Amino acid sequence: MGSNTFPVNPEASVGADLHVREDLARLARMAARTLDAAAAGVCVGPPERPSLLVNVGSLSVGDALLVPFLCQADRQQAPLLVADVRKDERFAQGERHALRMAMVYPLFNGTGERLGFLWALSQTPRAFEAGDREALDDLAGFARLALREWRDPSFIDRAEQALFSFMQGLASDPNGDHHPLQARFLAEVLAMDGVLIAEFADPARQRMRTVARFCRGEILPEVEFAVAGTPIEPLLVNGAQTWKQEVWRLFPGVSALLEGAEACVATPLRNAAGEVYGVLMALRTSPLEEVTLVEALLPVVAAGIEARYKARRAEQELRIREATIRSVYEHATDLIFILDRNWRYINVNPAYARALGRPIEGIIGQPSGYDLPPHVLERVLETNARILETGQPTVYDTTMEFPEGIRSFSVVKFPYRDQTGEIVGVIGIARDISERKALERQKSDFIKALSHEIRTPLFAIQSAVRLLTVGCCDPAAEKGRRMLAIAAHNAERLVRLTHDVLSLEGLEAGLLPIEATACDAASLLEEAAASLAGLADEAGITLDVASPVIPFEACPERIMQVLVNLVGNAIKFSHAGSRIGMEAVADGEEVRFAVRDQGRGIPSEDLYRVFDPFHQVHPRPLARGGIGLGLPISREIVRTHGGRIWVESEVGVGSTFYVALPIKTRLRLSETLAR
Ligand code: ADP
C-alpha cells in the first residue's frame, strides 16, 4: 500500500522535526497495516491532553476518541490491546462504541520516563495473535528510538521557565548563590534522584567541598572530600561524562558521596577564565538505560550556575579591590584630601583629619584653605585652578603651620574625575617631609662641623711646615722641634678624627662587623679601669669598680670602647682628688652599667645634645684632645646591641652615664658562642 492510503494529517502533527515526524509516520503506517487499522499515530504529552505528533489513516481521530484508551494504557503501564471495544467493560458506551479495535503502546525510555504513545484504532474488531504482538513490540521499539530525538516543546518550555525562575531566585538570594534547595530543585527539573554541586576547597585542587547536595528527598549536609578516586577525576580531564550504571562499582571508595547512585551524569563547572572550579553531578539510584533529557539539560543548568558563580566572583573581586583601596586610604600616613570644584572638602583620610586636629565629619563639606596664610592660599588656589584647566598633575613642596609647630610637606595633586571622565575636583596627597628636612639639616651641620674640625689642625700643620720649609727655623733647634711636635700632634688628631668619623659612619650604615660572644660585666669594667689607670693616676683621680659577675652576650671590643670613652670623659671633666664609680647590675633582662663622676656636670639644656656629633659643652681642653665624636659613637654601638644609653647630671655635682644592654643579644652570634 502506498502512502496515499495513510496520508499524514498535517494539522494534527505538532512539534516534531520533519525527519522525526517522517519516521514516526512510517511507523504509524506500519502499525496500521499490521492491524488493518483505519487510523494510527504517535502522540506525546499527558494522556488526558495528548499532542498528536503524527496521525495517519482514513479515520479522523479526535482527542475524545483517543483519550480513554491512552489513559487506560497509562494506568496499566503496559500495552493495551482491545480486540473488541464493545465487549470490554473498561470502556464506557460499551455496545454503542464507535470503535471496535484499539491498540495503545505507552513508550517509556530507560529511566521510566514516558515518552509518548503509539496507537491504532479500527472500526472492526480484531483478535491479536502472537505475530501481531511481536510486530508491535518491534514497532514500539523503533518509535521509542525515534522519539528520543524529539523534545516535547512544552516540556522544554516548562524546564526553561523553571530554570529561569530558579536563576532569578539565586540572583536575589542574599545568602549567596548556593542554596541546598537549589540541588533539590535541580533534581526535580532533571527528574533525577540526586544532585551534587561541589567546588574546589584548596588551591592545589586536591579536595572539594559540596555547596549543595540533595538525594532521595533529603537535603544533605555539606561535606569535604578528596577528588582522587571519584568520578570527578575523569571529569576534569575529559569534560562531561555519563555513567549509565554501576557507577558505585567504578568508584568504590566514594559510594557514600554518590549516595547509592547507579547512574551519574556529570559536567565540570568553569570560571570566566575557562578553568574548572567545580562540578555538577546528577545521580540516579537505578540504571539509566537510555540517554535522557538530563544530558541535554545539564549543560544548560551548568551554564546558569557558572553565570552566577562568575557574577559572584566579579562582585567579590570588586569588593576586595574596594576594601584594599579603602584600607590604603584609611591607613596611609600621607594626608589625602579630595576637593570639589569650589574647593570644598568631598573627603579626607584619617591622617588628614588627625593633622588638622578635627573629626572627618567636621571637615567634609567645609571650604578648604581658609586657615592658610594669604600668600600660601593664593599659590594653592592657583595650582588647583591649573589642574582643573589642564588635567595635569602637579608636585610641589610647602610648609604648614600646626599647633605643635611648622611642618614641611611634599604635595602631589591631580584631577578627580567622575565616571564620564569629567574633572569634578582635585585629589591631593601630602607627605610630611619634616623629618627628611631635619635630617638634611643635620647632615649639613655635620659637614660644617667636620670641615671646621679638619681646618684647625690642618692650619696648624700647614703653618708649622711652612715655617720649617722657608728656613725660618732650624728643625734641629728648640723652636724647630716645637714646630715639628705641633705638626705631629695635629696630624695625629686628624688621623683620630678620620678614624672616628669613619667608624661612626660605618656603625650607622651597619658596615662594621659586630659579633656577639659570651661576656662578663665585672671583667669588662676591670679591663676598662686597668686601661685608664695611668690617665686617672696622672689626674689624681680614683677609680672604684663594683660589680658582681654578670654573664651576657655582646661584642666585648665594642662595649670596651664605650666604657673606656665614658670613663675617659669622666676623668677629663673631673677634678683631682675626686672619685669615679664604675658599676654594673643585672636588672631583669638587662645588664645596666653606670659611670659616676663628681666632676663639673652638664647643664640641663645640653643634656640631650651631648650625644650629637661634635657637640662639646665645655671649652675644649686642648691638651685632652676631645673632638666630640666619642658619645655619638658610643650611642651607635649601644643601639646596634639593642640597648639604651642616657645621662643624668647636675652642674657642680657630677654626671652619671648609664648603658643598658640586653642579656640575650639579638646580634649575630660569633661561631664560638653559637656552638
Ligand atoms: P669629646 O669628649 O671628645 O669632646 P664626647 O662626644 O665624648 O666628645 O663628649 C661630648 C661632650 O659632652 C664633651 O665635650 C663634654 O662637653 C660633654 N661630656 C661628656 N662626658 C662628660 C662628663 N662625664 N662630664 C661632663 N661633661 C661631659
Side-chain angles (χ1 to χ4, degrees), residues 386-393 414-415 417 423:
R386 212 170 39 247
I387 293 169
L388 289 192
E389 200 182 305
T390 64
Q392 296 292 320
F414 47 93
R417 296 175 188 274
I423 299 177

Side-chain angles (χ1 to χ4, degrees), residues 49-111:
R49 274 180 292 107
S51 308
L52 299 178
L53 281 192
V54 293
N55 183 3
V56 301
S58 51
L59 177 70
S60 154
V61 177
D63 282 3
L65 268 186
L66 194 53
V67 164
F69 299 109
L70 296 181
C71 286
Q72 179 54 41
D74 191 52
R75 263 198 299 279
Q76 65 191 46
Q77 297 258 307
L80 172 75
L81 300 172
V82 187
D84 191 345
V85 178
R86 286 192 186 167
K87 294 193 177 134
D88 194 318
E89 56 212 25
R90 289 177 296 182
F91 302 99
Q93 297 175 321
E95 313 242 300
R96 286 170 292 115
H97 206 292
L99 293 174
R100 302 299 295 270
M101 187 281 289
M103 177 282 286
V104 178
Y105 257 70
L107 307 171
F108 298 100
N109 67 12
T111 70

